Amino acid sequence: DSGSVTASPRQQDTEYLCPVQIGSPAQTLPLDFDTGSSDLWVFSTDTPRSEVNGQTVYDASSSSSAKRLSGATWKISYGDGSSSSGIVYLDTVTVGGLTVSRQAVEAAKQVSSSFSRDTSSSGLLGLAFSSINTVSPNQQKTFFDNAMPHLDAPLFTADLKHNADGRYNFGYIDKSAYTGSISYTPVDNSQGFWGFTATVDGTDVTGIADTGTTLIYLPDSIVTSYYSQVSGARYDSSNAGYIFPCGSSMPDFSFNVGGGGGGGGTVTVPGSYVNFAPTDQTGQTCFGGLQSDSSIGISIFGDIALKAAFVVFDGGNKQLGWAAK
Ligand SMILES: O=C(CN1CCCCC1)Nc1ccc2c(c1)OCO2
């Protein structure tokens, strides 16, 4: 089996949403595919009306294939302080033509304000490792984990784009989607994430490939060194990050992966991607797409980095492949 689904950017590439079919007859919800978490959760008829703000909701009672997972609950919180929780159904889930029957669909009974405010997203589809799925008392598997045994190849690829539709493919590598060769590097999934080590200016950086996080968060030394090249750039505590004049031409940001025998490969993030967004309506000052990881405790290669590459999430061999495009 295989699947292929469009990933549409929202609000200046802040997130990427994909249409997912749930239940019988199919209910299509736009979900945020997140390689940084492992719960598939949705706005539902169980979500308080006061917390629903235009989102499409899942109605298990109108799906003939939905079965309540008796006694199961879930509760998750994310690095940005957002959170959600609820109950669990098993139902049929289809992504880009790839179907998993009896997928745990986590219906929200509570969502935090940032989810309520995000009118375009109906929830998340977690693509990290099932070891960090939050369903209790019986942990559930991710869509990818359930699909893997049926896939032509035990992998999925992420091809996110700047201000344009990209694609997630499951079970195959589309050779027309990248240029040159794919450089592979081992994955450390001990924390449940797609962890890997890259080299930035000769310094090894261990972080995670996280499609659910908008920006890149790296060690202070690397970030300070990058912004030292931009006149007028500074760390601004009120914005809790590096800002600079919006007219600045930003240097490209490169990192190497798979430095083994073959010398590995270089991913180059265009400077224009690092000029992420204005901090206010005047458009004078802009917020950087590269920020320090010092308040997080882990380095994150988020969408700003991922959209500069074609990325292979290889669950069979537990490796990450990176290619230019
Ligand atoms: O929270 C997330 C990702 N999260 C995925 C689900 C939707 C809401 C965003 N990333 C994140 C992780 C660490 C952070 C951070 C953001 O901001 C500062 O530290």
Side-chain angles (χ1 to χ4, degrees):
D1 295 7
S2 65
S4 181
V5 68
T6 301
S8 301
R10 287 286 174 279
Q11 295 118 340
Q12 329 229 22
D13 301 353
T14 307
E15 62 182 8
Y16 293 81
L17 299 175
C18 306
V20 175
Q21 283 70 44
I22 308 176
S24 321
Q27 300 175 42
T28 299
L29 278 67
L31 301 186
D32 180 357
F33 283 25
D34 180 15
T35 61
S37 67
S38 304
D39 286 48
L40 193 171
W41 73 262
V42 292
F43 277 73
S44 74
T45 47
D46 299 301
T47 314
R49 292 308 87 200
S50 61
E51 295 177 4
V52 181
N53 179 21
Q55 293 86 355
T56 302
V57 303
Y58 169 61
D59 179 3
S61 67
S62 61
S63 169
S64 59
S65 43
K67 305 251 180 314
R68 178 78 183 268
L69 188 59
S70 171
T73 58
W74 60 280
K75 183 173 179 49
I76 195 165
S77 54
Y78 300 97
D80 66 353
S82 62
S83 63
S84 52
S85 62
I87 56 176
V88 186
Y89 297 90
L90 297 181
D91 207 345
T92 303
V93 173
T94 298
V95 172
L98 172 65
T99 296
V100 167
S101 51
R102 289 193 300 284
Q103 170 65 43
V105 178
E106 304 171 31
K109 288 182 74 85
Q110 178 272 328
V111 300
S112 63
S113 53
S114 61
F115 288 118
S116 295
R117 281 195 300 270
D118 183 354
T119 58
S120 35
S121 171
S122 288
L124 266 74
L125 189 143
L127 292 169
F129 291 82
S130 299
S131 57
I132 55 172
N133 172 266
T134 75
V135 175
S136 170
N138 304 314
Q139 194 171 56
Q140 299 297 305
K141 288 185 175 181
T142 66
F143 174 82
F144 175 53
D145 245 356
N146 283 322
M148 208 171 352
H150 309 284
L151 292 177
D152 300 335
L155 58 85
F156 64 91
T157 65
D159 179 13
L160 302 179
K161 294 182 189 285
H162 172 57
N163 262 348
D165 283 355
R167 189 158 287 278
Y168 287 96
N169 292 332
F170 292 83
Y172 69 102
I173 291 173
D174 176 358
K175 286 184 154 329
S176 70
Y178 64 91
T179 60
S181 60
I182 301 175
S183 294
Y184 287 92
T185 193
V187 162
D188 166 12
N189 68 344
S190 57
Q191 294 180 65
F193 301 122
W194 292 90
F196 71 104
T197 298
T199 309
V200 180
D201 306 331
T203 306
D204 277 2
V205 175
T206 296
I208 67 170
D210 183 359
T211 58
T213 292
T214 308
L215 308 183
I216 302 173
Y217 296 90
L218 296 180
D220 231 37
S221 54
I222 289 171
V223 177
T224 306
S225 160
Y226 174 83
Y227 287 110
S228 70
Q229 306 169 91
V230 179
S231 61
R234 63 184 174 85
Y235 181 85
D236 177 73
S237 47
S238 57
N239 281 287
Y242 281 86
I243 60 175
F244 45 81
C246 288
S248 310
S249 79
M250 309 299 287
D252 293 348
F253 172 75
S254 295
F255 58 95
N256 288 288
V257 286
T266 302
V267 175
T268 297
V269 179
S272 58
Y273 290 9
V274 185
N275 190 336
F276 177 64
T279 59
D280 59 29
Q281 293 79 347
T282 70
Q284 295 289 313
T285 307
C286 277
F287 193 76
L290 173 62
Q291 296 293 344
S292 169
D293 66 8
S294 48
S295 69
I296 304 174
I298 186 171
S299 296
I300 302 178
F301 291 81
D303 298 331
I304 299 273
L306 299 169
K307 67 189 182 186
F310 175 83
V311 189
V312 181
F313 292 77
D314 185 335
N317 303 304
K318 279 185 38 209
Q319 56 181 5
L320 271 174
W322 298 79
K325 60 189 183 190

